[in-house]
Amino acid sequence: MYGTVAHLRVKPGQHQGIIDYVAYWRTERRPQTPGAVGGYAYRLDSDPNAWVFAIAFEDRASYEANARSPQMDADYRRLRALLEEDPIWQDGEILAGF
């Protein structure tokens, strides 16, 4: 598997928007995105405006195909409007689950 960990800084008052974005991805986009496995969204105890996404795909090829897609560009713009700054993305091979 392959995926990304994204570090997000959410604008104050936009937490419901992030929750809605995640729900949209889970119910609408993931079923239509080849190779998408799923993910998690964390809101950190140490800073409620700091969120982390952990997202998994079946393989690197499907992850990269999604990243290049026009739909993901539109999704990113929707997400970015809720954030104070660009996310920090850390991509990599998923070696194990626990």
Side-chain angles (χ1 to χ4, degrees):
M1 286 196 299
Y2 194 84
T4 194
V5 175
H7 300 267
L8 314 170
R9 184 120 195 102
V10 178
K11 290 178 183 175
Q14 295 299 322
H15 298 281
Q16 187 60 50
I18 296 292
I19 292 166
D20 294 345
Y21 176 85
V22 170
Y24 152 78
W25 233 97
R26 183 183 65 247
T27 60
E28 295 180 41
R29 280 279 283 132
R30 188 177 72 190
Q32 298 177 16
T33 303
V37 174
Y40 294 93
Y42 301 78
R43 187 169 70 179
L44 303 183
D45 288 343
S46 60
D47 179 353
N49 292 328
W51 288 57
V52 176
F53 286 1
I55 303 161
F57 279 75
E58 290 176 3
D59 53 38
R60 187 175 186 161
S62 59
Y63 172 81
E64 291 178 348
N66 177 67
R68 290 189 306 269
S69 73
Q71 184 59 51
M72 189 62 230
D73 181 62
D75 289 347
Y76 174 76
R77 291 172 192 274
R78 176 181 174 182
L79 174 65
R80 181 61 182 89
L82 304 170
L83 306 177
E84 290 184 356
E85 58 195 22
D86 289 342
I88 297 169
W89 303 97
Q90 296 176 303
D91 300 346
E93 183 180 4
I94 300 169
L95 300 176
F98 52 93

